Amino acid sequence: LMALPIAIIGQQFQNAYEMRDMQDAKHRLQTRLQANGEVWSLIPGSNVVDRLKKVEIKDPALAHSVAAFSTKLEEVWEQREKVSRALRLEMEVKQAHAEKTTELLSRLLSVSTRW
């Protein structure tokens, strides 16, 4: 008779813990994605993660699976964020190298035409 209320209370604690963990992860992500005065953000194409978090599921195992799945989806978006940032940085470095190479070649050409 006591097992059911204890299971419900346990599930509520589990849900609260997972929500706190997700909020902490979001805060860490926001802190990490601020670099050089810029804030990096990729917005998912849908609000499926938010909708998954708001679904109230009575089956504890299914609720846990859905919470874990939505956490993994957030991690995928975080990885996309990191890849996007790395690609942008790589493009900026390539552009800077191209500009410096062009400048070097123009100077070499101007020196060679003087001779």
Side-chain angles (χ1 to χ4, degrees):
L1 189 60
M2 297 228 1
L4 183 58
I6 291 173
I8 292 171
I9 291 170
Q11 183 61 41
Q12 288 176 345
F13 276 111
Q14 181 66 29
N15 290 343
Y17 174 79
E18 289 174 358
M19 288 298 289
R20 175 67 182 191
D21 189 44
M22 284 188 257
Q23 289 172 349
D24 288 345
K26 281 184 183 179
H27 178 69
R28 288 190 307 270
L29 176 63
Q30 289 172 348
T31 302
R32 261 196 323 269
L33 296 179
Q34 294 178 359
N36 299 329
E38 293 183 27
V39 177
W40 289 75
S41 178
L42 282 178
I43 299 171
S46 72
N47 63 346
V48 71
V49 175
D50 292 332
R51 290 177 26 213
L52 278 174
K53 289 179 187 177
K54 292 177 184 174
V55 171
E56 293 184 21
I57 301 172
K58 295 186 191 264
D59 179 11
L62 182 58
H64 184 283
S65 295
V66 169
F69 179 68
S70 62
T71 300
K72 292 297 180 188
L73 282 176
E74 284 184 324
E75 289 174 10
V76 166
W77 279 102
E78 182 178 336
Q79 290 300 318
R80 288 182 66 164
E81 196 84 43
K82 288 178 183 177
V83 168
S84 176
R85 183 190 306 193
L87 288 174
R88 182 172 173 195
L89 179 61
E90 183 180 345
M91 290 285 285
E92 289 173 356
V93 167
K94 284 182 180 181
Q95 181 67 29
H97 286 148
E99 289 171 2
K100 288 180 181 181
T101 303
T102 302
E103 182 182 342
L104 176 65
L105 290 175
S106 349
R107 288 185 180 180
L108 285 173
L109 269 170
S110 68
V111 169
S112 68
T113 56
R114 289 185 205 162
W115 289 29

